[in-house]
Every structure is written in C-alpha cells, then in structure tokens.
C-alpha cells in the first residue's frame, strides 16, 4: 500500500496535473505510519519513498544508460542506488514521527497537524542540502493547478508544501474521528481545512505585480534541437555553430533579444573567440543582443592546466562595448549537479564519474550572488538548468528592478520522458512566486514564455528546430514572497512548533 501511495503521486505533477493525488499520496503515508511501531513505520516510509522516486525520477535512467554509455545492468544499479538513497528521507520522516510519540500521540492534532509538517520540511531540507541536494519533486509543485496556487506569491514553494502537509494532517484527523461523537476539535479541524482551501480564492484575484506596458522586449528563443548523442562530438561542433548562427541571423532585428540554450556552443569560450566576435559584430550592427550558453575555461599562468577553472556560462554579445574575453555581462552557474557537472567526495566517488564519462563533469561553481544580466535596457535574474528549481537561489539574486526571470537549459539528457515537463512546471512556479515573466530557452525543448501568473503564454514543441518569437512587457512591484522571502514560512513553522508544546487544559 505504501509503495502504491508513493507511486501515484507522480500523476499530480506535469504532464498529468491530477493535483488531488498529491493529497492522497501523503495522506496514505501519514495514515499508514501514524500508529505503527518505529521499525514498521521506517519500512513503510522507505517503501513509500521507493514508489515516489521510482515513478517520479525513473527518467534519470535515460541519461545514465543512453548518454552515460554504461551497460544496462550497471545503469539499473546506479538508478537503484539513487532511488534507494532518496527513499531514506521519507524513512527518516517516519522514524522521527514515531520517536516523538510521547508528546505527540498517534492520530492526535499534535502529531498530524503540528509535528508531521515540521518533520517533513526538515527531511526535505536535508534532501535538498546533503551532497548539494536533489530537491526535485517537492510536493508543493503539484499544486500549481489547485486552489493552493494562490499561496505561491506569499509563502513560496516551501510554504505551499508545508500548507499541503498541514491539510493532509487535518484530513486524517477528521477521518479518524468519523466513528466518534463530534468534538469541538473535529469541527475546528474541518473549519481550518475549508479556510485553507477557500482563502486562496481571494489571493488569486490580487495582482501582486503590474505589467509595465510602456516598455516591451522582443524575444527570439533559439531551439537548436541538437541530439545529445552528437552534441559533444568534434564532428558536430561546426554543424551546431552553423545551426545557431543561421537561426540567429534570420531573426536579427532592431531591439531584438536573442536567447540561446545552455552550453549551446559545445566548446571552450577561449577556443571560439573569432566566432563570438563575429556574432557580437553582427548583433551590434542590427542593434540586437544575444545571450549565448558556452563553457568558460579559465587559462592558468601557463595556458591550459591539469585542474582548470571551468564554468557553465551564459554571456551576452552585442552590447555597447565590443566583446572581449572575459566580458563582465555574464552569468556563471552556481549550483552544480553531482556527477553531471562535478564529483562530490572526488577521491572516493571518482570511479563512478569515470564510468559515466559525462563531458564537462569537472566544473567550478560561480558566485552564489551575481549581478543581473542586462540586455537592451532590461534586467534579468538568471538561472541555468537545475538552478531554476531552487527558489532560495533565485531569491538571493532577485532585485526590485528585475524585469524578467531567465533560464536556459538542455533537457536533451532525458529524451521524451516526463522529466522536461516536470522541469518546466518548476519554472512556472518561479514566475508565480516572483510575479515576473519567465523566459525559458532550451536545446530540444520545452522552450517557453511564461507570464507573471505562472501560465504558459507560448511554447515550442519538443525535438524540433524552431525559433519562438514573442513580444513581452516586464512587470513592476513585488510579491510578498519577493519582498519578505521565507519570513511567512518560518513564522508558520514557529507557530506549529510552539503549539506542539502547549499543554492541554483539564
């Protein structure tokens, strides 16, 4: 049962969007562990985690097997180890919940509504932090189409996940009291549940930010659609450059902002100086600017070195000052993906990295806080690929004068799976949280324009070489989340923590 409850949660996320199943999944987990012995609760939590992460992240297998080029049995083992590792966090949650039985008795308000949401947030924090974290599929993302979406601009993704788990606790408490005489606590729980669901209706009517119609940006998002199996081969490089250059030249125009995808140039920046200068001159001649994804290899004092500084970079060409390496109008990816971009505990785990043989897997992290990218007078808070799911990282780089959110990615690693759809859904959440339009340019899809309400305005089909042209105005003003950050989220957690220790009056 726990495995099934965990697995069905995947259908609450993109591309399925059946949001009530997230409630069913977590209600099922809580119901099964609320009165169990510690050992059995741990097994149930672990089984739930296996179902949840197997269904939700099985697509990682594509990058391991097809592009990591390892034998099928080894790929299955690596995927199994990843899922097993992730399942330890729901197991830890189950254990902690039962350890606290002495002051939060089974099926009580304290256990289900106060303690469980705090412990779930704690274990999710650990999942997103240890080994740089893997914060994929936080429960709150499933609620972008539910009444709870109104909470995103107020409390952010962590707050929405917290509110969802509180609701699940209230549901179980009410269900558990069905066969008992009604008590004031039961009536209060029902009232609280209804209030949590009804309140966002009024929030959704509030425009936290305002569209500045006096300004508009003309975007061309280049979806080169270069196959992952070919991208990093030397034979493909010239074809890739020609594809992007041709599509760009067709769309150069006055005041045009052209966005390429992550690492669209599969070579070191220092090796492509003549090509970049050519692009820079072409863009300036047409009064356009181009954001180009590339790998920045910083040469040492004696040229190429054994342990170089390599950055996953998005740089801007066509500005007022001619391009000269290294120009300052650039963003360097801060949050790197383990094994894909760096090897954690390299002395211990390097054999795994060598086995996967993933290109550009020895990178350095850029600064956590970086200046906004600027193009045609507009300011962009930028994230590369995985970073767009990290709300706190966006928050640290977001400023009141940010015009747009910008993310570039290469989801070709995951083929025609649900992974890129989930990734797009998380980008939608960022737009809703900050009340800013999100510009998303990718290699094989899903390239999209997302408005300040988190709704997709326009998108390109996957696996097609196309250009998305769209004229868009920025927004001004701040959502409560953009203004106060996680203050409301921590306030709710603090109140829950205090209520756990409030003694019942006799």
């Amino acid at each position: 049962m726990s495995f099934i409850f965990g697995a069905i949660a995947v259908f609450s996320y993109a591309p399925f969007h059946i949001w009530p199943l997230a409630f069913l999944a977590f209600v099922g987990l809580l119901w099964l562990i609320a009165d169990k012995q510690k050992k059995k609760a741990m097994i149930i939590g672990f089984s739930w985690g296996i179902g949840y992460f197997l269904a939700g992240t099985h697509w990682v297998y594509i990058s391991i097997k097809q592009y990591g080029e390892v034998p099928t049995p080894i790929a299955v083992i690596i995927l199994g180890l990843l899922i097993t590792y992730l399942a330890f966090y729901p197991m830890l949650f189950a254990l902690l919940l039962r350890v606290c039985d002495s002051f939060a008795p089974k099926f009580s308000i304290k256990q289900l509504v106060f303690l469980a949401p705090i412990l779930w947030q704690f274990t999710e924090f650990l999942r997103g932090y240890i080994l740089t974290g893997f914060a994929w599929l936080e429960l709150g993302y499933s609620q972008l189409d539910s009444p709870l979406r109104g909470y995103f601009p107020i409390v952010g993704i962590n707050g929405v996940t917290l509110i969802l788990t509180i609701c699940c606790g209230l549901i179980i408490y009410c269900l558990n009291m069905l066969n008992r005489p009604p008590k004031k606590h039961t009536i209060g729980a029902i009232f609280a549940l209804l209030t949590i669901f009804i309140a966002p209706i009024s929030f959704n009517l509030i425009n936290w930010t305002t569209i500045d119609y006096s300004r508009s940006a003309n975007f061309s998002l280049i979806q080169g659609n270069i196959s992952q199996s070919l991208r990093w081969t030397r034979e493909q490089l010239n074809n890739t450059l020609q594809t992007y250059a041709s599509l760009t030249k067709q769309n150069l125009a006055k005041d045009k902002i052209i966005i390429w995808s992550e690492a669209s140039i599969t070579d070191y920046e220092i090796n492509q100086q003549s090509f970049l200068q050519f692009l820079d001159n072409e863009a300036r001649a047409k009064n356009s600017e181009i954001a180009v994804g590339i790998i920045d290899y910083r040469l040492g004092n004696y040229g190429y070195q054994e342990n170089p500084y390599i950055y996953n970079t998005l740089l801007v060409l066509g500005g007022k000052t001619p391009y000269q390496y290294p120009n300052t109008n650039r963003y360097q990816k801060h949050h790197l993906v383990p094994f894909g971009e760096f090897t954690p505990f390299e002395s211990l785990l390097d054999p795994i990295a060598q086995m996967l043989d993933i290109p550009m897997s020895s990178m350095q992290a850029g600064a956590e806080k970086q200046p906004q990218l600027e193009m045609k007078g507009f300011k962009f808070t930028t994230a590369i690929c995985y970073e767009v799911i990290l709300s706190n990282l966006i928050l640290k780089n977001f400023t009141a004068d940010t015009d747009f959110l910008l993310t570039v990615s290469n989801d070709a690693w995951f083929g025609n799976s649900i992974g890129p759809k989930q990734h797009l859904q998380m980008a939608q959440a960022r737009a809703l949280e900050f009340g800013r339009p999100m510009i998303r340019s990718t290699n094989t899809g899903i390239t999209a324009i997302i408005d300040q309400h988190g709704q997709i305005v326009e998108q390109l089909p996957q696996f097609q070489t196309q250009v998305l042209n769209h004229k868009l105005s920025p927004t001004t003003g701040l959502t409560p989340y953009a203004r106060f950050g996680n203050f409301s989220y921590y306030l709710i957690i603090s109140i829950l923590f205090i209520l756990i220790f409030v003694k019942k009056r006799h």
Side-chain angles (χ1 to χ4, degrees):
M1 284 292 293
S2 60
F3 178 86
I4 292 171
F5 276 126
I8 62 174
V10 70
F11 296 105
S12 64
Y13 299 101
F16 310 104
H17 302 284
I18 311 174
W19 61 265
L21 290 180
F23 287 88
L24 181 59
F26 195 75
V27 162
L29 174 62
L30 270 184
W31 185 278
L32 290 174
I33 66 176
D35 61 348
K36 299 297 187 296
Q37 295 296 321
K38 297 182 187 68
K39 184 177 180 180
K40 192 165 187 178
M42 288 173 64
I43 294 171
I44 290 171
F46 183 74
S47 177
W48 188 93
I50 292 291
Y52 185 79
F53 292 110
L54 178 61
T57 64
H58 64 274
W59 41 265
V60 175
Y61 173 84
I62 298 173
S63 61
I64 299 172
K65 172 66 175 72
Q66 188 170 344
Y67 303 120
E69 297 183 352
V70 300
T72 299
I74 301 298
V76 171
I77 291 171
I78 293 174
L79 178 64
L81 289 173
L82 172 64
I83 292 170
T84 300
Y85 163 73
L86 294 173
F88 273 106
Y89 292 101
M91 183 182 77
L92 176 62
F93 164 74
L95 172 63
L96 293 175
L97 189 69
R98 298 308 296 130
V99 165
C100 300
D101 190 53
S102 57
F103 58 87
K106 59 184 180 182
F107 290 113
S108 66
I109 283 283
K110 285 188 177 182
Q111 183 203 45
L112 300 172
V113 183
F114 302 157
L115 180 63
I118 292 176
L119 293 179
W120 184 258
Q121 290 302 110
F122 172 68
T123 55
E124 285 291 89
F125 165 77
L126 293 179
R127 179 164 73 93
Y129 180 78
I130 295 175
L131 295 176
T132 76
F134 187 68
W136 203 268
L137 292 190
E138 287 189 61
L139 280 168
Y141 287 117
S142 64
Q143 301 307 296
L144 275 175
D145 299 307
S146 86
L148 299 189
R149 69 173 278 113
Y151 289 112
F152 274 93
I154 302 173
V155 295
I157 177 61
N158 291 331
V160 174
T161 301
L162 179 66
I163 291 168
L164 185 153
T165 54
I166 291 172
C167 289
C168 290
L170 289 169
I171 290 170
I172 297 177
Y173 182 78
C174 294
L175 290 174
N176 192 53
M177 299 298 288
L178 282 178
N179 297 325
R180 305 180 187 182
K183 295 182 178 180
K184 62 179 181 179
H185 292 304
T186 311
I187 298 171
I190 295 172
F191 178 77
L193 191 60
L194 291 174
T195 301
I196 291 172
F197 269 94
I198 293 173
I201 296 175
S202 60
F203 299 156
N204 286 325
L205 300 176
I206 300 173
N207 287 317
W208 299 106
T209 57
T210 305
I211 300 175
D212 183 2
Y213 289 107
S214 65
R215 306 166 67 212
S216 61
N218 292 299
F219 291 101
S220 288
L221 311 184
I222 311 294
Q223 185 169 291
N225 191 35
I226 310 299
S227 171
Q228 187 62 32
S229 59
L230 299 175
R231 285 188 81 230
W232 292 97
T233 62
R234 297 304 302 179
E235 298 78 16
Q236 174 62 30
L237 178 58
N238 284 336
N239 292 333
T240 298
L241 297 180
Q242 289 173 14
T243 297
Y244 275 94
S246 175
L247 293 172
T248 298
K249 194 169 183 179
Q250 294 169 24
N251 289 275
L252 284 174
K254 188 176 187 297
D255 293 329
K256 184 67 74 73
I257 299 174
I258 298 174
I259 313 291
W260 292 16
S261 65
E262 175 192 17
S264 43
I265 298 180
T266 50
D267 193 9
Y268 295 137
E269 181 179 353
I270 199 70
N271 294 339
Q272 294 294 329
Q273 290 299 287
S274 59
F275 180 73
L276 293 172
Q277 288 166 2
F278 164 75
L279 281 178
D280 182 62
N281 291 331
E282 288 286 302
R284 190 176 300 101
K286 294 289 187 178
N287 199 21
S288 298
E289 293 193 43
I290 310 170
V292 176
I294 199 167
I295 306 301
D296 179 9
Y297 183 115
R298 294 292 170 101
L299 294 173
N301 294 330
Y302 303 100
Y304 288 96
Q305 50 192 331
E306 186 175 344
N307 297 304
Y309 289 98
I310 303 175
Y311 300 95
N312 190 345
T313 301
L314 187 70
L315 62 90
V316 178
L317 303 173
K320 294 180 181 178
T321 304
Y323 166 78
Q324 184 175 2
Y325 178 81
N327 66 337
T328 56
N329 195 9
R330 63 176 58 217
Y331 175 81
Q332 295 171 324
K333 188 176 183 181
H334 167 72
H335 193 103
L336 304 178
V337 178
F339 299 107
E341 292 172 314
F342 84 105
T343 304
F345 304 114
E346 190 168 1
S347 59
L348 180 66
L349 300 177
D350 188 58
I352 296 178
Q354 294 293 333
M355 184 185 302
L356 292 175
D357 192 28
I358 294 175
M360 301 300 167
S361 56
S362 299
M363 294 190 181
Q364 277 69 44
E368 185 176 33
K369 189 171 182 178
Q370 300 182 44
Q372 309 272 296
L373 282 187
E374 295 189 29
M375 290 180 276
K376 305 310 299 181
F378 296 95
K379 294 185 177 181
F380 297 79
T381 296
T382 306
I384 295 179
C385 196
Y386 177 84
E387 289 183 322
V388 80
I389 83 169
L390 304 175
S391 184
N392 286 336
L393 180 62
I394 304 294
L395 185 63
K396 288 175 182 177
N397 286 275
F398 184 86
T399 60
D401 61 351
T402 293
D403 294 302
F404 300 101
L405 303 180
L406 170 64
T407 183
V408 296
S409 185
N410 172 39
D411 288 346
W413 285 104
F414 310 113
N416 189 22
S417 70
I418 61 176
K421 284 86 169 177
Q422 294 172 348
H423 201 184
L424 175 62
Q425 186 179 43
M426 297 177 199
Q428 291 178 255
R430 298 292 85 78
L432 181 56
E433 283 174 342
F434 291 94
R436 292 291 189 273
M438 169 73 77
I439 314 303
R440 186 173 195 260
S441 185
T442 68
N443 171 30
T444 58
I446 305 168
T447 298
I449 299 288
I450 303 165
D451 70 14
Q452 72 274 19
H453 301 298
Q455 303 292 348
I456 297 173
V457 177
E458 192 173 352
Q459 69 181 65
L460 294 179
Q462 284 182 282
F463 310 112
Q464 292 187 20
T465 304
Q466 288 191 24
V467 178
L468 194 162
N469 289 298
H470 194 87
K471 187 174 182 178
L472 190 66
S473 292
T475 55
T476 59
L478 297 173
T479 64
Y481 179 72
R483 187 182 299 275
F484 302 112
N486 287 305
F487 175 79
S488 299
Y489 165 68
Y490 291 129
L491 179 62
I492 297 171
I493 283 192
S494 300
I495 293 171
L496 294 177
F497 187 79
I498 292 170
L499 289 174
I500 291 172
F501 297 99
V502 173
K503 293 184 177 180
K504 184 178 179 181
R505 293 183 179 179
H506 296 285

